[in-house]
Amino acid sequence: MYIEIIVLTLQNQNENKMSKIKFKTSEVLPKVAQVTQVVNQKNTISILENVLLQHSGGGNMNITASDGETWLSINTMVEHIDGEVHCCLNAQRLNTALRSLGNDMEVELEFDEQSHIAKFNYTSGKFELPFLDADDFPNPSTTGEETLTVELLNNHLLDGLGLTEFATDNDSLHPQFNGIHIDFEKQAENSLGQMVFVSTDTRKLVKYTQKLDVTLEALYDKGFTLPKKAASIILQLLANSVSGESCFMYFNEQSFSLEGNGAKLSTRLIAGRFPNYNAVIPTNNNKIAVVKRDAIIGALKRVMAFANQKTLMATLEFENNKVKLNTKDIDYNTSAQETVDCTYTDEPITIGFPCNGLIDVIKNVRCEDVAIRLSEPQRAGLIQPNVQQDDSEYLSIQMPMQV
């Protein structure tokens, strides 16, 4: 079934020109729902509460939303377009209205240019929504700076952003921690390039290195910090990618764009220098425990329920191929203890970690065996796969808590 959009425009006092669109709700509703995620609940500019509908040529329509910092535009095929379409409808109301109609409702939608009312007519009823002219809808900012371009496999970007997004912060004083930093480097063993994804909330840091099969000489030593909202949207856009599909990234010192899967995302980058992350990664953690990933995660989840709910701290005692987990909350007189088998033959060591932080970094380890590398109870622990993948490397550091 199809929706028919009829846009009425006045050429003069005696002549009306009608513009029409026909499309299936099953094609348009998912796109509207996706772009609506960009819209903030509260906006300083009222036009940003809307989505922009534009005829993009042929049987295509673009649906665009923005929060003033990030823009998402998704293209959708429609059955027929006759005339021009260039208008704004309230994002949440449009999404709710289309969702209420389901995927197979035939609707005729008419835009009355005189009253600025969009009239939805369908088999069992009708409803109306006001619409705005699209002239005031902001466009992504452009600069005269040189823009660099790189084509990437979708799965490389998905892995890098997906494995680091959780460690971003919400710090108004240090906004550079509120996103994922990406650097382009030359591989040490050859002339090919690699991407480094890093995020931190100052208590933990995650670094993921993805080797590439291309040289990127123009991009070496270049980098930027992508806002986590934009990163989250990219993860959703590329979530259903087929193996081998690629996307294009464009960036300079101020802005970033990505094109792929029929969508374009543009955003302002986070200003400020990202810290030297390599300097804080420990290099002398020689006490190594190898533990089963699912076993340690399960134990942490069970004891966390009995920890102090403000700190969620657990003490981990490594000794004689065992790791003993202890939590307690003296305010409520609760405690828990679990013992997990591991491979550990170094001198005993006891260290405190937040259960939730440790679970987050361990669950992203793509290996059944997790290596926990320690040096002293007051120094950061290094968590990584016991065996790294051939084309990538994952590591994280977790700051300890006072026992």
Side-chain angles (χ1 to χ4, degrees):
M1 295 185 178
Y2 301 96
I3 292 178
E4 181 177 1
I5 299 179
I6 304 176
V7 182
L8 176 64
T9 57
L10 295 178
Q11 289 182 307
N12 52 50
Q13 293 182 347
N14 300 318
E15 183 181 359
N16 293 335
K17 182 179 180 181
M18 310 289 285
S19 297
K20 300 179 180 180
I21 302 176
K22 292 182 179 180
F23 60 87
K24 292 182 179 180
T25 52
S26 59
E27 295 175 342
V28 175
L29 174 57
K31 310 297 173 55
V32 171
Q34 203 163 23
V35 301
T36 299
Q37 299 175 79
V38 182
V39 180
N40 289 333
Q41 292 186 348
K42 296 182 179 180
N43 295 279
T44 55
I45 305 175
S46 60
I47 194 70
L48 295 178
E49 298 174 357
N50 297 265
V51 293
L52 170 64
L53 305 181
Q54 287 180 297
H55 180 198
S56 57
N60 295 277
M61 181 173 68
N62 274 335
I63 306 172
T64 304
S66 174
D67 61 2
E69 296 287 332
T70 300
W71 285 257
L72 176 60
S73 180
I74 300 181
N75 187 70
T76 183
M77 289 290 295
V78 295
E79 186 186 69
H80 179 72
I81 298 181
D82 181 16
E84 294 297 324
V85 175
H86 193 64
C87 59
C88 294
L89 286 169
N90 183 275
Q92 296 296 339
R93 289 184 176 180
L94 177 63
N95 186 41
T96 301
L98 293 181
R99 191 178 299 278
S100 70
L101 299 178
N103 289 330
D104 294 307
M105 179 64 72
E106 185 175 347
V107 179
E108 182 178 277
L109 173 57
E110 178 179 316
F111 286 87
D112 188 329
E113 289 285 347
Q114 290 181 314
S115 63
H116 272 228
I117 295 294
K119 302 176 181 180
F120 294 75
N121 298 291
Y122 52 98
T123 304
S124 59
K126 64 180 181 179
F127 55 82
E128 298 180 350
L129 291 175
F131 70 90
L132 301 174
D133 293 329
D135 295 338
D136 294 331
F137 196 87
N139 295 316
S141 59
T142 57
T143 66
E145 299 177 16
E146 179 183 2
T147 298
L148 299 171
T149 304
V150 58
E151 182 179 8
L152 296 172
L153 290 175
N154 289 354
N155 66 291
H156 287 169
L157 196 55
L158 279 169
D159 289 344
L161 298 179
L163 292 173
T164 54
E165 181 193 22
F166 76 92
T168 56
D169 203 1
N170 293 292
D171 188 345
S172 59
L173 297 178
H174 302 92
Q176 62 270 33
F177 296 150
N178 300 340
I180 299 171
H181 187 75
I182 300 174
D183 278 330
F184 293 88
E185 298 177 349
K186 183 178 179 180
Q187 295 181 32
E189 61 271 23
N190 54 47
S191 60
L192 298 177
Q194 63 185 23
M195 292 180 70
V196 181
F197 300 79
V198 184
S199 62
T200 181
D201 61 4
T202 70
R203 296 299 304 173
K204 59 181 174 289
L205 180 144
V206 181
K207 177 184 176 183
Y208 176 79
T209 303
Q210 175 65 62
K211 296 180 180 179
L212 305 174
D213 294 329
V214 295
T215 58
L216 301 171
E217 292 185 6
L219 278 68
Y220 293 155
D221 299 324
K222 303 290 184 181
F224 56 88
T225 305
L226 184 68
K228 62 180 173 182
K229 182 176 182 178
S232 178
I233 294 170
I234 291 172
L235 288 172
Q236 295 180 41
L237 287 175
L238 304 183
N240 297 319
S241 296
V242 178
S243 177
E245 287 186 339
S246 62
C247 58
F248 286 89
M249 286 173 38
Y250 311 89
F251 68 94
N252 53 40
E253 290 187 359
Q254 296 183 355
S255 61
F256 168 93
S257 296
L258 179 134
E259 293 184 11
N261 284 13
K264 179 177 180 179
L265 177 137
S266 301
T267 188
R268 294 190 179 101
L269 295 171
I270 296 178
R273 186 174 182 178
F274 201 82
N276 181 2
Y277 48 87
N278 288 317
V280 300
I281 297 176
T283 58
N284 61 344
N285 286 22
N286 299 320
K287 298 181 177 67
I288 305 173
V290 178
V291 62
K292 296 296 182 183
R293 180 186 60 191
D294 293 342
I296 190 68
I297 289 177
L300 284 165
K301 287 181 177 180
R302 289 188 290 272
V303 301
M304 182 168 61
F306 303 92
N308 181 292
Q309 294 303 295
K310 292 183 179 180
T311 64
L312 296 177
M313 185 186 76
T315 59
L316 280 68
E317 302 175 18
F318 295 89
E319 184 178 11
N320 296 329
N321 293 322
K322 302 283 185 182
V323 54
K324 185 183 294 184
L325 292 81
N326 291 278
T327 60
K328 63 180 178 180
D329 187 344
I330 59 175
D331 293 333
Y332 293 93
N333 198 27
T334 62
S335 64
Q337 183 182 97
E338 288 235 4
T339 301
V340 178
D341 292 333
C342 68
T343 302
Y344 185 80
T345 58
D346 293 301
E347 63 182 25
I349 183 172
T350 299
I351 190 168
F353 285 126
C355 292
N356 55 342
L358 204 54
I359 290 171
D360 284 341
V361 296
I362 292 176
K363 72 181 181 181
N364 282 309
V365 173
R366 294 182 173 180
C367 182
E368 183 179 353
D369 296 320
V370 178
I372 302 175
R373 299 172 180 267
L374 306 170
S375 59
E376 299 177 13
Q378 297 80 25
R379 296 187 178 275
L382 178 63
I383 297 97
Q384 58 190 149
N386 191 43
V387 178
Q388 298 280 4
Q389 297 185 3
D390 292 337
D391 65 344
S392 64
E393 180 180 330
Y394 173 88
L395 64 84
S396 60
I397 62 173
Q398 178 68 59
M399 297 300 296
M401 305 179 76
Q402 184 174 359
V403 177

